Amino acid sequence: MPKRLALLLLRGAPATGLPSPAQPRAARYWPRLALSLLVALALPLLGVGVGALQARWLLQQRADAVADNAIIKLDRMITNGEMAGKAVELYAGRPCDIGTERVLQRQVATVPYVRSVNLSLRGQLYCTSLLGAVTETIDAAAYTDGRLRLRPGNITTPDVPVLIVRRPVGDAAILSVVDGRYLQTALQLTAQGSELYFRVGASHMDSQGRVGDGPLPPLPHATATRTSAHFPYSVVAGSPDGAVWTYMLEYNLALLVLTAGVGLFGGLLCYRLLGRPSSPRAVLQRALDAGQFEPFVQPIVNADDGVWAGVEVLARWHLPGEGLIRPDLFIPMAEQTGQILPMTRELMRQVAAALAPHVAELPPRFHIGFNISAAHCREPRLLDDCRDFLAAFPPDSVELWLELTERELIEPTDDTDLLFQQLDAIGVKVAIDDFGIGHASLNYLQRFAVDALKIDQSFVKRIGADTLSAHLIDTLAALATKLDIDLVAEGVETAAQRDYLQALNVRYLQGYYFGRPMPVGEFIHAHRHQRAAAETPAQPATSQ
Ligand code: C2E
Ligand code: CA
Ligand code: CA
């Protein structure tokens, strides 16, 4: 495993690119994708929501202002019609002679917006500024409040809308005609993008100058209705369907683009963050769930005849994309996070499942050693794990060894005393690992009823090189004999080391000279060969 990766792993949450354990990748992929999409969409949706609210509010403001303005402008125009009528009031009902005609024409010429001024008597139009004397029936009831009438045209200009302002004087009336084109221009200039209607009775005119009867077309958004305080008409301003979107795209495009961009960024960030292992604990848990830890076993041999007497179980991590990871890179992390307990349990389960079917081929009371940490000794469940392990084999066919490293001595308490008594009662053996580099006292060895000492490989390596190591091994051998404790020498790599340790009556040897750590299946094959060649020393194996 690359050193960089190991460092990242040991430091905890890696900054970049630590490949996450792959197995339940599919199971993790969809929630990760779904959450990332949710994040990516949430902000744009919020942006659209806020934008839509703002657009509605602004459209409503605009409609209110448009309606108010329209009333002011239209009142002013209609007042002109009203004034023209008032100015010729004395002529109402008078004969339509040249004098009367002139008076009417003067109003048309002088009063803004007024196209013609006409007189009627008892329902008959009889005098107009444009044509002089005429005869036409007038329907007074068609006038709203008897005062205003909006028409698509009249006899002189059938295609030009007109607003007729009626001023009743006794039996007679004055009809001032306001040109519809002025009304239309006023509506058009006021509308500012809103839909705007001028409504007189059942008739209405839009800002394009079209006059119609009946209900107004629907204005679903931001509608404002105003009624004139002086004349019987009203205006309605509002926005048609889709106006909110059009408005947003026109005025809030920057906000929409910004929120979409930030949403996309957030979604990608979320996807990336969720994809990286969040903590060493999460990394290990996924690896455990994915079954990426595998037990390798290394033979332990009888020093006197070279026969394989047992194995030490050594954890290996198959990290996808990274290959096999050495235990010293992840065991400290597993100890810190507490996952060493389930990990050891899993190794025990796998070893039992793989070795139990072949137990008949193994020597009687075959040793199977597991490395345990201080955390295990605070955990009463260790007893159950050991029981379960032993129960997988026929009674007394194997011996379970627990190796406690001397580098990390466990605190003796009443609970640990009880645990070790119970372990002893079910036949579990205890070995002190890496012996010689820590501070285990005689008292300590006795209190834990230690069955074996494993001489640290640093001393074995120096056999023949310095006298101090040889002296220490000699002393240990004497101590072991005195305490009736077995000795195991680790890290035996040469025949010379083997011979030296054999001569000192060290009972068990372990090291590359006899066999490297290997998968259990490979071990079973190798053991068959070893049995066949029991008399000759084993060749160094090739597994790692
Ligand atoms: P250890 O318990 O002292 O295990 C012996 C280590 O020495 C193993 O390294 C083994 O591969 C290596 N070794 C054996 N023979 C030779 C040899 O002849 N020459 C050399 N140079 N090395 C040899 P490995 O497998 O890398 O394990 C390292 C350490 O990780 C172990 O040291 C043990 O402390 C820890 N470890 C491994 N598996 C587990 C586990 O399942 N639980 C716990 N708590 N610790 C474990
Ligand atoms: Ca060990
Ligand atoms: Ca050791």
Side-chain angles (χ1 to χ4, degrees):
M1 179 184 134
K3 207 166 187 175
R4 184 188 70 84
L5 184 58
L7 286 173
L8 289 172
L9 188 61
L10 289 171
R11 270 188 211 137
T16 52
L18 173 64
S20 51
Q23 248 304 328
R25 192 175 281 254
R28 288 198 326 269
Y29 177 72
W30 292 111
R32 176 183 169 198
L33 187 69
L35 195 66
S36 306
L37 281 176
L38 203 71
V39 170
L41 289 177
L43 204 65
L45 283 179
L46 192 73
V48 168
V50 170
L53 278 179
Q54 194 194 20
R56 270 170 201 276
W57 184 79
L58 288 170
L59 284 172
Q60 185 63 57
Q61 300 283 97
R62 189 176 76 176
D64 288 343
V66 164
D68 288 340
N69 264 338
I71 288 282
I72 293 170
K73 287 207 170 92
L74 292 170
D75 270 1
R76 200 178 297 147
M77 285 182 180
I78 299 168
T79 301
N80 279 295
E82 178 84 347
M83 274 165 41
K86 196 170 180 195
V88 298
E89 205 173 56
L90 286 176
Y91 293 85
R94 288 231 198 136
C96 186
D97 54 23
I98 189 83
T100 307
E101 254 178 72
R102 287 234 169 95
V103 168
L104 299 182
Q105 282 164 357
R106 192 179 310 127
Q107 293 308 310
V108 174
T110 55
V111 182
Y113 312 122
V114 175
R115 199 174 79 189
S116 68
V117 179
N118 314 302
L119 301 176
S120 72
L121 184 64
R122 281 175 231 105
Q124 289 295 320
L125 183 71
Y126 71 93
C127 189
T128 74
S129 57
L130 190 64
L131 304 172
V134 292
T135 308
E136 195 188 324
T137 307
I138 298 278
D139 180 9
Y143 286 76
T144 306
D145 283 358
R147 295 177 68 196
L148 278 187
R149 186 174 183 191
L150 181 64
R151 301 196 63 190
N154 64 2
I155 38 166
T156 47
T157 51
D159 297 328
V160 178
V162 290
L163 176 71
I164 309 166
V165 184
R166 179 172 179 270
R167 185 176 180 86
V169 184
D171 284 355
I174 302 135
L175 306 171
S176 310
V177 177
V178 175
D179 194 318
R181 285 170 296 201
Y182 293 124
L183 294 170
Q184 183 214 331
T185 309
L187 293 175
Q188 217 166 32
L189 292 178
T190 318
Q192 286 181 8
S194 291
E195 300 284 313
L196 179 60
Y197 293 93
F198 166 52
R199 193 164 58 180
V200 181
S203 305
H204 53 79
M205 174 192 268
D206 66 12
S207 52
Q208 309 299 312
R210 293 177 292 231
V211 173
D213 285 329
L216 292 181
L219 290 175
H221 299 301
T223 311
T225 304
R226 299 285 187 276
T227 304
S228 167
H230 309 289
F231 304 102
Y233 77 93
S234 61
V235 293
V236 180
S239 306
D241 252 346
V244 173
W245 283 105
T246 316
Y247 192 91
M248 267 171 42
L249 287 176
E250 207 167 322
Y251 297 98
N252 281 345
L253 192 62
L255 175 77
L256 295 181
V257 170
L258 187 76
T259 51
V262 176
L264 188 70
F265 177 75
L268 288 174
L269 192 71
C270 175
Y271 188 78
R272 200 178 156 80
L273 285 180
L274 288 178
R276 81 175 201 174
S278 49
S279 64
R281 195 186 155 74
V283 174
L284 288 177
Q285 190 55 49
R286 285 188 206 146
L288 263 172
D289 294 344
Q292 288 171 356
F293 293 109
E294 185 192 351
F296 271 38
V297 290
Q298 186 180 26
I300 297 175
V301 307
N302 285 324
D304 47 7
D305 58 9
V307 167
W308 289 11
V311 287
E312 176 179 2
V313 178
L314 295 159
R316 294 290 183 269
W317 180 5
H318 292 276
L319 185 55
E322 295 295 329
L324 215 56
I325 297 183
R326 290 199 330 259
D328 48 345
L329 293 173
F330 63 87
I331 292 289
M333 189 170 75
E335 285 174 339
Q336 273 170 28
T337 62
Q339 277 153 318
I340 191 72
L341 305 169
M343 183 190 297
T344 307
R345 190 171 307 130
E346 173 60 14
L347 293 177
M348 284 182 162
R349 192 192 63 72
Q350 287 191 43
V351 170
L355 271 190
H358 304 280
V359 74
E361 301 173 34
L362 303 173
R365 305 200 68 79
F366 190 73
H367 301 179
I368 305 173
F370 287 89
N371 292 285
I372 60 164
S373 310
H376 285 99
C377 305
R378 294 188 286 270
E379 181 59 50
R381 186 151 175 204
L382 177 65
L383 186 67
D384 293 330
D385 292 344
C386 292
R387 261 202 207 105
D388 292 347
F389 180 79
L390 288 170
F393 296 90
D396 298 327
S397 59
V398 296
E399 261 181 20
L400 172 57
W401 287 58
L402 298 184
E403 299 188 9
L404 286 161
T405 176
E406 204 203 19
R407 275 170 294 160
E408 194 196 349
L409 289 178
I410 55 163
E411 192 79 19
T413 62
D414 289 349
D415 287 343
T416 55
D417 285 351
L418 179 67
L419 177 66
F420 279 84
Q421 278 165 22
Q422 290 171 320
L423 287 169
D424 187 48
I426 60 167
V428 174
K429 306 286 178 193
V430 174
I432 301 295
D433 202 359
D434 310 324
F435 194 76
I437 58 168
H439 313 282
S441 62
L442 264 185
N443 189 18
Y444 185 89
L445 299 183
Q446 280 163 343
R447 184 153 184 183
F448 285 101
V450 168
D451 300 281
L453 299 179
K454 293 188 81 171
I455 304 170
D456 188 67
Q457 44 185 287
S458 59
F459 301 112
V460 176
K461 269 192 182 60
R462 298 208 295 261
I463 287 174
D466 70 61
T467 48
L468 189 67
S469 295
H471 182 64
L472 194 119
I473 296 174
D474 296 353
T475 314
L476 279 181
L479 176 78
T481 315
K482 200 169 157 201
L483 292 177
D484 192 22
I485 292 178
D486 283 334
L487 264 192
V488 185
E490 277 190 319
V492 181
E493 291 185 354
T494 65
Q497 290 166 346
R498 179 202 60 186
D499 295 344
Y500 186 92
L501 294 160
Q502 241 172 6
L504 279 176
N505 288 329
V506 172
R507 187 160 179 200
Y508 299 110
L509 303 178
Q510 176 184 355
Y512 293 169
Y513 183 75
F514 305 101
R516 286 176 177 258
M518 61 190 97
V520 180
E522 200 176 304
F523 166 80
I524 290 160
H525 285 292
H527 180 253
R528 284 179 193 146
H529 286 291
Q530 196 273 340
R531 263 181 30 174
E535 300 305 311
T536 51
Q539 296 301 307
T542 48
S543 292
Q544 183 66 16

